[in-house]
Amino acid sequence: MQHFNFSAGPAMLPADVMQQAQAEFLNWQNLGSSVMEISHRSKPFIEVAAQAEQDLRDLLAIPDNYKVLFLQGGGRGQFASVPLNIAQPTDLSLHLQSGSWSKGAVEEAAKYTRTHVVTQDAVNAAGQRYVPDQTQWTLTDEQRQQAAYLHYCPNETVDGIAIFEPPKCDKIPVVADMSSTILSGPLNVSDYGVIYASAQKNIGPSGLAVVIVRDDLLNQAQSITPSFLNYTLAANNDSMYNTPPTYSWYLSGLVFKWLKAQGGLSAISQRNEAKAALLYQTVDNNDFYHNNVALAHRSIMNVPFTLADPALDKEFLMLAEANGLAALKGHRSVGGMRASIYNAMPIEGVQALTEFMQEFARTKG
Ligand SMILES: *Cc1c(COP(=O)(O)O)cnc(C)c1O
C-alpha cells in the first residue's frame, strides 16, 4: 500500500531528496563524515551554503539588491525579528490580518513597535470566510506616514485562506510571511521589502527560516535587537554570525535542486493548481464535504474541509490512516480535516485521498 503524508508541518519532503540524503548520510562527499558533523566554516559546507542560495535565487529570480539569509528560529522568530530590524518603537507596523498566523504576527510585533490592523478576515453573506479588499481598510493619512511596513500572510496554513495579489500601499515596504507558500509558484520578489518563511512546510526540515530582505531595509535595527536576530549582522556574515542550522540548510539545498529538476516554479505551480482543483472539486461536488472559504481566497497548499456529520470525524481519520492517508486532522482551532498538499505531495496522493473521500461519503454519508 502507498503511504501519503498530508501533514501541515513539518511536512513530507520529496522522496528523491530523502533517498539522496540517506545515501550520503554517513559519508558525505567521501569525507567519512555526515554533512551535519562538519564545521559550518569549512570549505565543503560553505560551498553547500552558497550553492543553495544561488539555486534559491535562480528559482525565485531574486534581484541583486536583495539579501538572502538562512537563519534559526522558524516563522515565529521572524514575528519578532521583522519589527526589531525594520521598525522603531515609535513607528507603526500595519497588518492585514487574515487568519491565525498573521494574528500571531501582530501580537508579537506589538512588543517592539506600534501596530495597526488595517483589516481582518470576515464572513460574507454566504457564510464563507474572506479578506476584505483595500477599499475597506481603515487607514488614516497619518497612519500611512508613520508606517514602517505592511505585514500580511499570503497563505494562512491553519485556516486555508490565501491572498493571491500582494497588497500595494504607497511606498510602504510589504512584508510577507510565506512559510506555507514560498516556492509553490513564481513570485515577483520586487513587490516585497521582506519575504520570510519557516522551512518545514515547503522548503526542508524545521529549524530554519529563510529571509529575503531588500538591502535598503538593512542598517536600521533597534538597538535592543539581539545580535543573532540582526539582519545586517547576518548579511555581513553570510548567515554565519552564529552557527546556522547546517543540516536543514543542506537538505533545503537538495530540495532547491529537486525543484529545478522538476522544471522550476512554473511547472510546480501547474501541478499544485491541478492537485488543489481535484481536491476542491471533490469537496464541492459532494454534499457530505464542505469548505468554508470564499472561492477567491481558497488556498492551493492547505485545504480544510468538514464532514456533514462531525461525529464521523474519528472514523474518517482512522479509516484514512488504514488506507495510507496520514495526518489529515484539522488544526485544533478549526476542527474537521485539513489536507496539506505542498510541492512534495504527488498528484497520486491527492487522487488516493479523493477516491477515499468519495468511498467514505458513499458508505457512511
Ligand atoms: C508554521 C507557520 C509559522 C510558524 O513557524 P514556526 O517555525 O513554528 O515558528 C508562521 N507562519 C506561518 C504562515 C506558518 O505556516
Side-chain angles (χ1 to χ4, degrees), residues 319-337:
L319 275 179
E321 191 87 41
N323 281 277
L325 307 167
L328 285 163
K329 193 171 196 297
H331 190 270
R332 58 191 181 280
S333 66
V334 175
M337 309 298 151

Side-chain angles (χ1 to χ4, degrees), residues 73-77 79 101 153 155-157 177 179-180 198 200-201:
R76 280 192 190 273
F79 289 1
W101 286 116
C153 180
N155 188 76
E156 284 285 358
T157 322
D177 174 1
S179 292
S180 53
S198 55
Q200 69 271 18
K201 279 74 183 241

Side-chain angles (χ1 to χ4, degrees), residues 81-88 91 148-150 173-175 193-194 213 217-218 220-222 231:
S81 287
V82 167
L84 283 165
N85 275 281
I86 70 168
Q88 294 304 312
D91 287 341
Y149 65 90
L150 167 65
V174 174
V175 177
V194 180
V213 52
L217 296 171
L218 297 175
Q220 56 185 65
Q222 295 183 25
Y231 290 166

